Amino acid sequence: MRRYVSKFIACPLPFTKSNFFLVNCEAESYYASRESNSQGLVRSYLNGSFAKTYATSCATLSEDTSKDSPVSDMLIDSFGRLHTYLRISLTERCNLRCHYCMPAEGVELTPSPQLLSLNEIVRLANLFVSSGVEKIRLTGGEPTIRKDIEDICLQLSNLKGLKTLAITTNGITLAKKLPKLKECGLTSVNISLDTLVPAKFEFITRRKGHERVMESINAAVDLGYNPVKVNCVVMRGFNEDEICDFVELTHEKPINVRFIEFMPFDGNVWNVKKLVPYSEMLDRVAKQFTGLKRLKDHPTDTAKNFRIDGYCGSVSFITSMTEHFCAGCNRLRLLADGNFKVCLFGPAEVSLRDPLRLGADDDALREVIGAAVKRKKASHAGMFDIARTVNRPMIHIGG
């Protein structure tokens, strides 16, 4: 596969133990009470020998934290939000080239030796799950093109305490792989599809494959996934006229169509004029479907959920741009290169791969993770500030 090149320019900021403890003063006594070789490695790491830290922005107080939950303080931020959901990007590679995900000239791919191996993914995932994470979602790039995807699913699904193992995929190769993935413990499926028109599909993805995506949606339904989630990024001038057609997918099948506001990432040429706000999308649906009813959302939901009387499936709206849901955020991200990210829209990252390969034990890794979680902001910046913030392309971050 040809490598597309586009330089990602980071903006490292100075990061020392002193300014770290201004953010998380309680950690000082915690660090001081523990000594080991791996602790020394991580302390050196946090002091700047290995760290690359970026200005951050992100997420208010969670109502979902249970005082009785046997979870690690590692997963609780300074605003009391408990993070029980980890998204793991398996690869930066993809078999599509979607406009909103990747710059036209492509991106520089991380060399394979610098990506997390299967064993490293499982070890880090086990660390999170044993600390209280209950849901893992596999993303990419396109996660199904990773050759060891079945082994990854099998080992992750066997982690004690994990309740949900999900995947977000473009559906190009999913239909033929899904039966085995289900056997390996995959419990939930999200399939990305932005248009029901094959010609539009080829335009937005720069590739063919619309029929294969539809085949994957039907295969997931036939295999008993309920709901099968279909993610649709709505962009003005491209597919806002198809919103009600997508809603019809929910009539006779257990499909949850999730309309997503167009979000800015490095290189995707985001423009507010392309943004179709939630209020406009909802108005379109409400005018055509009189039986539309709001469902009760979970405090950690990213989506506003609706159902139409007599319809088998449901409709949701993800309003990242116009009505953020930072107060209930319970999500963390592990990127394919081993970087750990606490907010989708915040450029702050810290490597877990480096201390892991330097021999850090689980307690040392927990300190790195916990420190990053404690630095998470109350909420991300506004949409125009996000558009100006240096961040990675979506294909690097993971969908």
Side-chain angles (χ1 to χ4, degrees):
M1 179 183 292
R2 177 187 169 193
R3 290 194 173 192
Y4 292 76
V5 178
S6 163
K7 292 292 183 183
F8 166 66
I9 302 174
C11 300
L13 296 178
F15 184 87
T16 65
K17 183 188 290 186
S18 60
N19 64 28
F20 165 68
F21 286 129
L22 288 173
V23 177
N24 186 16
C25 300
E26 292 181 355
E28 187 165 12
S29 61
Y30 183 61
Y31 275 102
S33 68
R34 322 233 337 252
E35 290 296 334
S36 71
N37 289 336
S38 59
Q39 305 300 325
L41 282 172
V42 174
R43 191 172 291 109
S44 172
Y45 178 79
L46 287 173
N47 274 330
S49 300
F50 306 99
K52 189 180 276 188
T53 305
Y54 307 92
T56 188
S57 61
C58 194
T60 50
L61 193 63
S62 173
E63 301 173 7
D64 194 45
T65 304
S66 170
K67 295 180 180 179
D68 299 324
S69 297
V71 297
S72 169
D73 179 67
M74 175 188 94
L75 298 178
I76 302 174
D77 68 14
S78 59
F79 301 93
R81 290 170 298 199
L82 171 60
H83 297 79
T84 57
Y85 180 2
L86 177 67
R87 301 173 72 97
I88 301 177
S89 177
L90 299 184
T91 179
E92 296 173 352
R93 294 182 178 275
C94 188
N95 43 13
L96 298 180
R97 292 289 181 271
C98 299
H99 284 263
Y100 55 79
C101 183
M102 185 185 294
E105 66 274 22
V107 297
E108 182 178 3
L109 298 175
T110 302
S112 295
Q114 295 179 29
L115 300 179
L116 293 178
S117 67
L118 183 153
N119 289 337
E120 289 172 331
I121 290 170
V122 173
R123 181 182 169 190
L124 290 172
N126 183 56
L127 185 64
F128 279 96
V129 172
S130 64
S131 300
V133 163
E134 298 178 338
K135 178 177 180 178
I136 289 177
R137 178 174 299 281
L138 304 177
T139 69
E142 172 48 40
T144 62
I145 67 174
R146 183 152 170 161
K147 294 179 180 179
D148 55 1
I149 180 68
E150 294 173 358
D151 289 336
I152 291 173
C153 285
L154 183 61
Q155 293 197 41
L156 293 182
S157 67
N158 285 324
L159 294 178
K160 184 178 179 180
L162 187 68
K163 296 179 179 178
T164 303
L165 180 61
I167 194 169
T168 294
T169 168
N170 61 30
I172 293 294
T173 65
L174 183 67
K176 63 181 180 181
K177 296 185 177 185
L178 192 53
K180 182 63 175 179
L181 291 176
K182 186 174 184 181
E183 288 180 14
C184 292
L186 188 69
T187 61
S188 180
V189 176
N190 285 44
I191 301 173
S192 299
L193 180 65
D194 302 317
T195 178
L196 298 173
V197 181
K200 282 188 183 181
F201 178 90
E202 187 172 343
F203 170 78
I204 194 68
T205 66
R206 305 184 180 105
R207 298 289 188 276
K208 296 180 182 294
H210 184 268
E211 290 184 4
R212 282 181 283 174
V213 180
M214 296 303 298
E215 181 184 356
S216 292
I217 293 171
N218 291 326
V221 171
D222 293 342
L223 283 169
Y225 285 98
N226 185 359
V228 176
K229 296 181 179 180
V230 175
N231 294 342
C232 176
V233 177
V234 181
M235 293 162 281
R236 192 175 305 282
F238 175 70
N239 62 352
E240 82 273 24
D241 60 329
E242 295 185 62
I243 289 175
C244 291
D245 295 332
F246 269 97
V247 173
E248 282 295 344
L249 293 178
T250 73
H251 193 177
E252 298 180 352
K253 296 182 179 181
I255 292 173
N256 170 223
V257 174
R258 299 158 64 82
F259 296 112
I260 303 171
E261 291 180 337
F262 183 39
M263 296 177 282
F265 292 96
D266 190 59
N268 74 349
V269 198
W270 184 85
N271 188 313
V272 69
K273 293 180 180 179
K274 298 180 183 178
L275 172 67
V276 182
Y278 155 62
S279 57
E280 181 179 332
M281 291 190 278
L282 179 61
D283 186 58
R284 280 178 177 264
V285 176
K287 284 181 178 179
Q288 182 159 332
F289 302 94
T290 55
L292 186 68
K293 293 182 179 179
R294 180 70 184 267
L295 302 176
K296 185 177 181 180
D297 304 327
H298 189 275
T300 63
D301 277 350
T302 61
K304 295 172 174 61
N305 302 296
F306 295 79
R307 187 179 298 279
I308 298 170
D309 285 342
Y311 278 50
C312 181
S314 57
V315 178
S316 303
F317 301 88
I318 298 178
T319 63
S320 304
M321 293 292 95
T322 61
E323 294 184 26
H324 72 68
F325 30 80
C326 300
C329 183
N330 70 337
R331 292 154 187 78
L332 302 171
R333 292 173 179 266
L334 179 62
L335 279 56
D337 63 2
N339 275 14
F340 178 58
K341 195 173 178 72
V342 296
C343 176
L344 173 62
F345 295 113
E349 299 178 4
V350 62
S351 179
L352 299 184
R353 178 202 64 203
D354 291 349
L356 179 67
R357 293 183 180 180
L358 284 167
D361 64 14
D362 286 354
D363 288 336
L365 291 169
R366 284 191 180 95
E367 291 186 5
V368 177
I369 295 166
V373 172
K374 293 296 186 291
R375 292 194 298 272
K376 186 169 181 174
K377 301 295 184 179
S379 62
H380 63 63
M383 73 170 79
F384 295 106
D385 289 327
I386 290 173
R388 290 191 295 265
T389 301
V390 175
N391 202 355
R392 296 220 224 178
M394 191 60 177
I395 196 166
H396 273 169
I397 298 172

